[in-house]
């Protein structure tokens, strides 16, 4: 990852830190995800996964699928069409729209590689670059060769679609006491 001058994070590191901070607000009982949309070096919006505005959070019983994680009929990594939660990437796109921020030509930085649906929505919103921290393993139904070809086709439409190579000790130093990156 391109480094800053050592005293502050690079712009890409900054976006990564913001996505990680957004993730702390997620209330999903499965996986917590955060996202940030940046255009022309300015933050447009952030998002995290969770229930829609005004609904009880997952931890409060707001999502039936989350509530049935251990005992329900829903396959791990599947049945997202039955989940009431909004993905972090979706929330970031929708927040930008709600507050009148154009996402044309923007970069989406997220803590998890975007799913099929979030890729479609990011393309429709005009996002041109996607960077992510962690990979995810698709559900068995998403391992279908035809779907894999379509997902690859979606990813190819972005000018950038890549994992972020993180120097974790460097990022942690920015979050330490006094945010001083130099050992004290």
């Amino acid at each position: 990852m391109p480094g800053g001058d050592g005293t502050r994070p690079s712009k890409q590191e900054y976006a990564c830190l913001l996505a990680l901070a957004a993730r702390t607000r997620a209330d999903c009982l499965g996986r917590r995800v955060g996202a940030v949309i940046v255009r022309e070096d300015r933050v447009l919006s952030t998002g995290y996964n969770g229930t829609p505005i005004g609904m009880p959070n997952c931890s409060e019983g707001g999502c039936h699928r989350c509530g049935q994680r251990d005992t329900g009929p829903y396959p791990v990594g599947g049945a997202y069409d039955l989940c009431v939660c909004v993905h972090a990437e979706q929330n970031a796109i929708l927040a930008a729209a709600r507050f009148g921020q154009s996402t044309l030509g923007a970069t989406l930085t997220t803590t998890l590689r975007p799913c099929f649906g979030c890729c479609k929505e990011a393309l429709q919103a005009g996002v041109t670059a996607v960077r992510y921290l962690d990979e995810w393993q698709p559900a068995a139904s998403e391992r279908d060769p035809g779907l894999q070809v379509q997902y690859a086709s979606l990813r190819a439409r972005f000018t950038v679609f890549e994992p972020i190579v993180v120097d974790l000790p460097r990022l942690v130093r920015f979050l330490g006491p006094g945010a001083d990156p130099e050992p004290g």
Side-chain angles (χ1 to χ4, degrees):
M1 169 180 292
D5 62 4
T7 61
R8 62 187 191 145
S10 70
K11 291 173 182 175
Q12 191 173 1
E13 289 170 329
Y14 180 59
C16 184
L17 287 165
L18 290 173
L20 287 166
R23 181 173 74 176
T24 65
R25 290 285 305 150
D27 190 57
C28 180
L29 299 178
R31 183 175 293 178
R32 295 161 40 125
V33 181
V36 62
I37 297 177
V38 176
R39 189 184 72 236
E40 298 174 4
D41 297 331
R42 298 288 177 228
V43 175
L44 302 180
S45 63
T46 63
Y48 54 88
N49 57 324
T51 57
I53 294 170
M55 292 186 71
N57 288 313
C58 294
S59 63
E60 301 165 332
C63 177
H64 177 73
R65 185 180 171 282
C66 275
Q68 304 294 314
R69 287 186 60 74
D70 298 324
T71 60
Y74 312 112
V76 172
Y80 289 116
D81 57 328
L82 302 174
C83 182
V84 73
C85 292
V86 181
H87 290 189
E89 300 87 350
Q90 292 170 321
N91 267 327
I93 292 166
L94 293 167
R98 184 181 309 120
F99 297 111
Q101 297 294 316
S102 172
T103 54
L104 263 165
T107 297
L108 170 66
T109 301
T110 181
T111 60
L112 188 65
R113 180 169 52 105
C115 71
F116 195 90
C118 288
C119 283
K120 292 187 300 184
E121 291 155 9
L123 281 171
Q124 286 298 96
V127 170
T128 57
V130 174
R131 292 187 173 92
Y132 55 92
L133 283 173
D134 294 320
E135 287 285 345
W136 56 265
Q137 294 302 317
S141 63
E142 295 172 29
R143 292 189 200 120
D144 174 271
L147 287 177
Q148 289 179 347
V149 168
Q150 283 189 323
Y151 184 58
S153 178
L154 284 174
R155 291 190 319 258
R157 300 290 311 249
F158 294 98
T159 57
V160 173
F161 193 97
E162 64 188 16
I164 299 169
V165 178
V166 178
D167 180 350
L168 194 55
R170 176 178 160 79
L171 286 184
V172 169
R173 286 194 306 263
F174 290 120
L175 301 174
D180 183 2
E182 302 302 319

